[in-house]
Amino acid sequence: MKDQILANLNSAKVLESLYQKAPKDFQQAFTEMYADIKGQPAAQFWHHRLEFEPEVGKKSGPSRRQLIALFVSGLIAVFLIQLPKLFSFAGGEVAFYARNNGLILLLGMSLYHLLSRETISRMNVLLGVGLFAIAGLFVNLLPQGESSDILSLIYLHLPLFLWSLYGLIYMDFQPKDFAGRITYLKHNGYLAIMGILLGIAGLFMTAITIGMFEAIQVHIEDFYINYVVISGVVCAPVVAVFVLQQFPNLTSKIAPIIANIFSPLVLLTLVVYLISMFTVGKDPYEDRDFLLVFNIMLIAVMGIIIFSITEGFSSSRSRFKEVVLLGLVAVSLLVDLIALSAILYRVAEYGFTPNRTAVLGSNLLFFCHLGLIFLDLVKVNLSKMGIEKVDDTIARYLPFYVLWTILVIVGFPLVFGLK
């Protein structure tokens, strides 16, 4: 962002476009570099504008619309999580939550974004709610009481599709907005941080409340956990979105610090893990459970890489961070290669199954994405390219994940059936 501001300092149109796409990133980058460019007329103008704007737009608190949106969204989330206690469903509570976990967690957050905007688009509300309703009907009309690999894959991938839908709603249904895609990824990082903070607060509150009633020998554990705690868990994401909207800078300063701390730690952990794996003779080619853990680890590392790239350079750019990220992506590529070779070995030995096909496709997606990011980071480390180009690569690749989730949800049942 700093390089873009500096290169376009005399272009009011480009600067305004940069600000509109990512106002928080623009303000943070401009503030840090202002001392070096304050002699420029354009820099003085933007300095006064950015300093003056918070005072003009300062709010005494959330608007009535935002509070209503928070209440309605939270109430719907609580209603959905408590449905199995109000009605009986085939397969019981466990089966209901397996089918509807993504719907329960993401519908409330999506509704809040749709209803809290100053100008509510009826078309966007109908489209967003309609897509969630179609997804809910689809998964709940699947054969009940049966256990199959295809059903498990649908239950696993549907939340990923709904997460993509939530992103589309967050971007106000502007799918071609690459800057908006990166902002959405950052939003998820902020949500994770805020969710952890709310979770810690909730644990303390739960312990204190139960302890207080235990002191007077009133046992409320079952009721409190089944109704208060569970309802609080599904309301927490909506509350986190609300808090981030009211205090946008609350986590934006913490996130780069976390990214810069975690990326070298994850790199070190991955290297030690790979060495240990070969030392103890663990074999992902024959050990199916170990291969599953291997892939879960790869997904987690992929998320950390994207978080580190999108957040780690928002405050400043340094040679150390560039080298660490390049190393992290390189080691992740090696991990993915091992996983891919193990999956291909199992396919050659035992043939295609829904699970093997899904894991193979996911790993190929990761490998291609990691490869593109790796090439970009090589150019960044050779100072032939700005770090913002890596953001573009990440943003441009996201639709492939969406298409893959749709293929698994809709295409796999047609190819393999539901058995």
Side-chain angles (χ1 to χ4, degrees):
M1 180 64 78
K2 290 181 182 179
D3 293 339
Q4 290 178 293
I5 293 173
L6 191 60
N8 298 283
L9 198 56
N10 295 319
S11 176
K13 182 178 180 180
V14 175
L15 288 180
E16 183 64 31
S17 176
L18 290 171
Y19 175 75
Q20 292 297 333
K21 287 181 179 178
K24 290 188 292 184
D25 292 346
F26 183 97
Q27 184 168 2
Q28 185 173 357
F30 183 86
T31 301
E32 291 173 357
M33 63 187 297
Y34 177 67
D36 298 326
I37 60 172
K38 61 183 179 181
Q40 301 283 341
Q44 294 175 15
F45 166 79
W46 276 97
H47 173 70
H48 289 298
R49 175 179 174 180
L50 294 172
E51 289 294 316
F52 185 68
E53 191 174 37
E55 294 299 322
V56 173
K58 190 175 181 179
K59 299 179 181 179
S60 58
S63 66
R64 182 181 178 184
R65 185 190 298 273
Q66 290 168 337
L67 290 174
I68 292 174
L70 176 65
F71 177 76
V72 171
S73 304
L75 190 64
I76 289 174
V78 171
F79 173 73
L80 290 175
I81 198 71
Q82 297 294 348
L83 264 180
K85 293 181 173 61
L86 301 175
F87 307 98
S88 59
F89 292 92
E93 292 186 18
V94 175
F96 175 83
Y97 293 136
R99 292 191 299 270
N100 296 283
N101 55 80
L103 191 72
I104 294 169
L105 288 174
L106 292 162
L107 178 59
M109 298 161 66
S110 300
L111 277 176
Y112 179 79
H113 278 292
L114 288 168
L115 300 176
S116 65
R117 292 193 170 106
E118 293 183 7
T119 303
I120 297 178
S121 168
R122 291 184 179 180
M123 181 61 69
N124 287 353
V125 172
L126 289 174
L127 181 58
V129 173
L131 288 172
F132 268 99
I134 291 171
L137 283 172
F138 170 78
V139 74
N140 284 286
L141 288 176
L142 291 171
Q144 308 294 328
E146 292 187 17
S147 178
S148 74
D149 291 341
I150 289 293
L151 290 177
S152 298
L153 286 171
I154 292 174
Y155 298 160
L156 180 65
H157 284 78
L158 187 64
L160 300 176
F161 170 76
L162 295 177
W163 176 76
S164 304
L165 177 56
Y166 170 57
L168 193 61
I169 292 170
Y170 178 85
M171 294 188 296
D172 200 21
F173 291 91
Q174 301 293 327
K176 295 183 179 180
D177 183 5
F178 292 156
R181 294 179 190 177
I182 294 298
T183 303
Y184 174 59
L185 292 177
K186 291 184 179 182
H187 170 72
N188 281 271
Y190 301 155
L191 274 179
I193 295 170
M194 183 56 62
I196 291 171
L197 294 176
L198 290 174
I200 293 172
L203 285 174
F204 275 111
M205 185 66 187
T206 299
I208 291 171
T209 302
I210 293 177
M212 288 170 60
F213 279 90
E214 281 291 329
I216 57 174
Q217 298 188 1
V218 176
H219 304 288
I220 64 166
E221 294 92 339
D222 292 341
F223 172 83
Y224 193 84
I225 291 173
N226 287 330
Y227 293 96
V228 179
V229 173
I230 292 178
S231 299
V233 167
V234 294
C235 281
V238 182
V239 174
V241 172
F242 171 77
V243 172
L244 289 175
Q245 186 183 69
Q246 297 301 312
F247 307 99
N249 295 323
L250 194 61
T251 57
S252 60
K253 294 180 180 178
I254 303 173
I257 298 173
I258 294 175
N260 293 332
I261 291 174
F262 266 82
S263 49
L265 288 177
V266 172
L267 173 58
L268 179 62
T269 303
L270 268 182
V271 172
V272 173
Y273 180 81
L274 286 174
I275 294 172
S276 301
M277 183 185 76
F278 290 113
T279 302
V280 301
K282 205 65 175 169
D283 184 6
Y285 295 90
E286 295 294 343
D287 192 331
R288 181 176 177 273
D289 293 335
F290 178 64
L291 180 59
L292 177 63
V293 173
F294 212 63
N295 278 278
I296 293 172
M297 178 187 69
L298 181 61
I299 294 171
V301 172
M302 187 71 184
I304 291 169
I305 288 172
I306 293 176
F307 178 70
S308 298
I309 291 172
T310 56
E311 278 296 344
F313 292 92
S314 61
S315 57
S316 62
R317 180 176 172 179
S318 75
R319 183 69 174 170
F320 174 74
K321 287 188 282 188
E322 292 170 1
V323 172
V324 167
L325 274 176
L326 180 63
L328 182 57
V329 174
V331 175
S332 300
L333 275 170
L334 177 60
V335 171
D336 201 357
L337 270 176
I338 295 172
L340 273 173
S341 63
I343 296 162
L344 289 171
Y345 169 78
R346 294 185 67 83
V347 168
E349 285 290 315
Y350 309 110
F352 281 98
T353 64
N355 283 335
R356 290 185 198 120
T357 307
V359 174
L360 177 61
S362 300
N363 276 269
L364 285 171
L365 273 176
F366 290 147
F367 185 76
C368 293
H369 201 185
L370 283 169
L372 293 172
I373 293 171
F374 177 78
L375 292 175
D376 282 349
L377 285 173
V378 169
K379 295 176 184 177
V380 168
N381 276 268
L382 294 175
S383 299
K384 292 183 177 180
M385 190 175 71
I387 193 68
E388 65 276 357
K389 295 297 182 181
V390 188
D391 284 349
D392 289 343
T393 298
I394 292 172
R396 290 177 185 276
Y397 201 85
L398 294 180
F400 290 103
Y401 292 111
V402 180
L403 292 174
W404 175 250
T405 59
I406 294 173
L407 177 62
V408 173
I409 293 168
V410 179
F412 273 38
L414 298 176
V415 175
F416 295 102
L418 292 174
K419 299 297 182 182

